[in-house]
Amino acid sequence: MSSPNISRKRRATVIGAGPVGCLAALMLAKRGWEVSLYEGPLDPRSSLFKSTAKQRSINLAISHRGIAAMHAIDGSMAQRFMQTAIPMKGRMIHHLDGKLYSQLYDRDGQCINSIDRALLNENFLDQVSASENIRVFFRHKVQAVDFESKNITFENMNTSRNTTASFDFCVGADGSYSVVRRQLMRVVRMDYQQEYIKHEYIEFKMPASQDNEGHLNFALDPSHLHIWPRRSYMFIALPNQDHTFTCTLFAPSEELDRLDTQNIFLNWFKSNFPDALQAIGEKNLINDFTHNPRSPLICTKSNPYHYKDRAILLGDAAHSMVPFYGQGLNCGLEDVRILDVLLSQESVMSTVSERTEDREDERLMRALSRYSQERHKDLVAITELAMANYVEMRHLVTTPIYLARKALDNLLYTLSSTQYRPLSYLNMLLSTELYAENEPRGWLPLYTLVTFRPDVSYDTVRRTVARQSAILTGVGYVGAAVLLGVAGVWMSYATRSRYR
Ligand SMILES: Cc1cc2nc3c(=O)[nH]c(=O)nc-3n(C[C@H](O)[C@H](O)[C@H](O)COP(=O)(O)OP(=O)(O)OC[C@H]3O[C@@H](n4cnc5c(N)ncnc54)[C@H](O)[C@@H]3O)c2cc1C
């Protein structure tokens, strides 16, 4: 008589309890996997963490791709998280002479959302802790992974001892300096590229203002992301729910090296961002300048992202990008959605039978292989678009040629494209589909495609915009030729009439 075919739940080990690791854990748990989630530092919700960690309210802009990804895993969770966000309908450009200029993000009034990073992470951890299929281990720092024997070694910081755990599937979501990625590079012929850009960033806090009755108000309009573009550097501000703004100064390292005393910095800031200084106050500015770190900006690319049927890199562990499109996290959350859809499309099971557990799982291997193949061009596209957007944000947004091109872009958008796809519609569609559009119809501006159209892949965005851009340049040349022609005819007429 043959022995019964006993099956057990598949074991997934997720490294890194940042937003991407948490969403990946929730996705696998929802599919019925047994998930262990490991995080190096303390639980950020614990009072010990809050009393020891330097509490800064860093926020980020979350948009349709991130929201659609959260929605695909748990719709009510996505809705709850978004209640803590502040919608921003456009950029507010602050010129040096104090003039303000609002540039709306979208014809149809769609917004990006300022969200508190720490709160988002805590909300994710609450969600993860409430799941029956997930066990969370804090203070467990991954040291090494043996992908052949499927064992992982941690430094347990509670006991100062190393411990090991076995897994069927390992998800590396341990951020830009990923240990899982380094371990994977030992067994996978992975291409890897890393670049520090010449700019660094420092964070500042703009306090709430108070009216005569002591009510707190925002010092600036909270429905905008504020930008002070100053050619080679810029200052930005995003609103928080407590009426403060979190501000970030991006500047070349050489420029920051020069600002080596409080006085030099204060004078430099005063001459470049006078209205921001007024809202922040000299004392606060100097305090943040003195105490907040100068942080680097790194850009990484890897390929492939998986190994056989047993490992994958997601989020910043796979691709770090400069933050100028506000897409780093959105893209990392989208990674999870894409993996989820591929697991469904390849009918990957949440259980494994004891009889076959030593064999490679063809379905899972196919899903991971498709992930690497199909996702790579998208990740390269957004990494490069993010780099290009820095020049736009810190300089181009103020130039007449940019503004003229943008106006033409928006005009063509209004004339040619009637399709408005509300997020609720996209959310439903993207729970089961990788993307809905191969080539979007009509004319769509780059920002709209990247930010508000998660049904279009980043690579398709790049190709669509390259085509539109060639048309705009052509229109520009034709326009210039017509203008030159008109000017030429007018001058020859004027010359002839003068000598007539
Ligand atoms: C200045 C700035 C502004 C940004 N603004 C935006 C924005 O507006 N919009 C946007 O979408 N993105 C933005 N980003 C990018 C965004 O912050 C990242 O893309 C996002 O945090 C990546 O999430 P993650 O979960 O992949 O990695 P992380 O958030 O880095 O999480 C990784 C986790 O892994 C843990 N870990 C690391 N090593 C180990 C180990 N050895 N063992 C166990 N655990 C480990 C870490 O403790 C951490 O919790 C910005 C980035 C910067 C720098």
Side-chain angles (χ1 to χ4, degrees):
M1 213 173 70
S2 63
S3 56
N5 187 7
I6 302 169
S7 67
R8 60 163 177 82
K9 281 185 183 176
R10 263 182 213 273
R11 288 186 304 257
T13 295
V14 180
I15 311 300
V20 174
C22 286
L23 191 67
L26 289 166
M27 181 271 282
L28 292 165
K30 188 181 151 200
R31 303 186 75 84
W33 295 47
E34 191 183 289
V35 183
S36 302
L37 175 61
Y38 291 91
E39 168 69 8
L42 281 167
D43 183 343
R45 296 164 300 175
S46 64
S47 44
L48 186 58
F49 180 90
K50 289 186 197 289
S51 63
T52 52
K54 202 160 172 233
Q55 283 296 295
R56 285 187 290 140
S57 159
I58 308 170
N59 50 14
L60 36 78
I62 194 152
S63 52
H64 285 24
R65 284 178 201 268
I67 302 170
M70 292 192 290
H71 191 275
I73 311 305
D74 185 337
S76 56
M77 170 188 83
Q79 264 182 355
R80 250 192 343 274
F81 288 8
M82 292 315 294
Q83 279 166 9
T84 66
I86 301 181
M88 299 178 290
K89 64 182 178 191
R91 292 171 177 154
M92 186 69 84
I93 309 293
H94 292 244
H95 289 276
L96 194 53
D97 60 7
K99 284 204 184 97
L100 299 181
Y101 179 60
S102 162
Q103 292 178 354
L104 297 186
Y105 284 130
D106 182 57
R107 173 192 78 174
D108 301 302
Q110 298 185 92
C111 296
I112 61 173
N113 306 279
S114 173
I115 197 158
D116 184 310
R117 185 191 286 261
L119 189 62
L120 179 70
N121 225 39
E122 289 181 21
N123 284 339
F124 262 126
L125 285 169
D126 285 344
Q127 197 75 22
V128 158
S129 307
S131 167
E132 272 182 10
N133 287 351
I134 307 178
R135 290 206 304 154
V136 194
F137 301 85
F138 291 100
R139 307 202 74 201
H140 278 66
K141 217 171 172 182
V142 66
Q143 300 285 337
V145 192
D146 182 336
F147 292 102
E148 298 309 338
S149 67
K150 301 189 189 171
N151 276 308
I152 190 155
T153 308
F154 300 95
E155 181 192 351
N156 180 338
M157 291 153 88
N158 297 315
T159 60
S160 303
R161 290 236 183 98
N162 279 1
T163 51
T164 51
S166 62
F167 62 86
D168 295 311
F169 181 46
C170 170
V171 177
D174 49 340
S176 303
Y177 301 95
S178 170
V179 174
V180 179
R181 184 183 63 225
R182 282 211 299 277
Q183 295 290 299
L184 257 186
M185 287 163 97
R186 297 157 71 104
V187 292
V188 179
R189 290 191 343 194
M190 184 189 288
D191 290 331
Y192 176 69
Q193 207 181 319
Q194 165 177 323
E195 181 189 354
Y196 282 101
I197 66 164
K198 293 194 172 75
H199 295 69
E200 293 172 71
Y201 70 94
I202 308 177
E203 276 164 359
F204 297 86
K205 187 90 164 187
M206 182 181 288
S209 61
Q210 266 191 354
D211 65 17
N212 294 339
E213 281 144 33
H215 296 132
L216 293 181
N217 287 320
F218 287 100
L220 306 170
D221 174 0
S223 69
H224 282 79
L225 189 159
H226 294 260
I227 309 184
W228 289 256
R230 298 294 181 262
R231 198 173 267 269
S232 67
Y233 39 85
M234 71 171 176
F235 194 67
I236 66 169
L238 275 80
N240 298 310
Q241 286 216 321
D242 62 359
H243 295 88
T244 62
F245 278 83
T246 302
C247 312
T248 314
L249 171 67
F250 296 94
S253 308
E254 280 177 4
E255 186 77 24
L256 293 174
D257 288 345
R258 226 174 38 75
L259 309 171
D260 55 354
T261 68
Q262 293 182 353
N263 249 346
I264 295 177
F265 176 71
L266 183 61
N267 288 332
W268 177 86
F269 198 91
K270 203 180 274 176
S271 59
N272 281 295
F273 313 107
D275 55 339
L277 178 60
Q278 206 175 11
I280 294 173
E282 289 191 9
K283 208 167 141 227
N284 294 327
L285 184 88
I286 290 301
N287 185 50
D288 287 348
F289 175 69
T290 315
H291 293 104
N292 291 349
R294 271 169 62 169
S295 303
L297 290 164
I298 191 172
C299 173
T300 67
K301 291 179 194 156
S302 332
N303 189 37
Y305 306 96
H306 78 287
Y307 180 55
K308 294 186 180 171
D309 62 343
R310 58 199 64 177
I312 195 151
L313 296 175
L314 300 175
D316 276 17
H319 48 77
S320 304
M321 64 194 77
V322 290
F324 306 115
Y325 233 119
Q327 283 294 306
L329 177 62
N330 284 287
C331 175
L333 298 176
E334 188 179 73
D335 290 349
V336 179
R337 184 185 70 76
I338 298 290
L339 178 61
D340 185 38
V341 174
L342 289 173
L343 293 177
S344 293
Q345 287 186 353
E346 294 299 337
S347 310
V348 174
M349 315 260 286
S350 59
T351 55
V352 60
S353 87
E354 278 185 355
R355 233 190 273 159
T356 57
E357 77 172 307
D358 292 336
R359 286 189 226 147
E360 279 170 9
D361 181 323
E362 296 286 333
R363 293 176 186 178
L364 182 52
M365 194 141 63
R366 236 182 355 257
L368 301 186
S369 168
R370 277 185 64 196
Y371 180 93
S372 280
Q373 273 170 26
E374 295 179 25
R375 191 77 180 133
H376 183 58
K377 53 189 185 322
D378 294 333
L379 297 176
V380 170
I382 187 57
T383 309
E384 292 176 0
L385 285 169
M387 195 70 95
N389 208 43
Y390 188 27
V391 186
E392 174 165 332
M393 279 178 89
R394 68 179 148 83
H395 176 50
L396 293 181
V397 284
T398 57
T399 61
I401 194 137
Y402 169 88
L403 295 172
R405 239 180 123 107
K406 184 124 192 105
L408 188 55
D409 205 21
N410 283 335
L411 180 69
L412 291 170
Y413 179 30
T414 306
L415 293 178
S416 79
S417 180
T418 48
Q419 43 173 192
Y420 162 58
R421 302 204 153 170
L423 183 56
S424 51
Y425 165 79
L426 294 171
N427 281 342
M428 268 179 15
L429 196 80
L430 296 175
S431 299
T432 50
E433 302 269 335
L434 288 180
Y435 296 105
E437 292 276 359
N438 283 328
E439 295 295 334
R441 272 167 291 129
W443 188 280
L444 287 156
L446 172 60
Y447 195 87
T448 302
L449 280 166
V450 169
T451 311
F452 303 123
R453 290 297 299 268
D455 56 328
V456 183
S457 74
Y458 288 124
D459 181 53
T460 309
V461 169
R462 188 164 63 166
R463 279 186 291 107
T464 307
V465 166
R467 200 182 57 236
Q468 292 180 174
S469 198
I471 297 171
L472 276 189
T473 307
V475 169
Y477 282 137
V478 171
V482 169
L483 273 179
L484 275 175
V486 170
V489 170
W490 181 81
M491 275 181 64
S492 76
Y493 173 78
T495 317
R496 256 190 274 136
S497 11
R498 201 182 302 158
Y499 293 107
R500 212 177 271 158

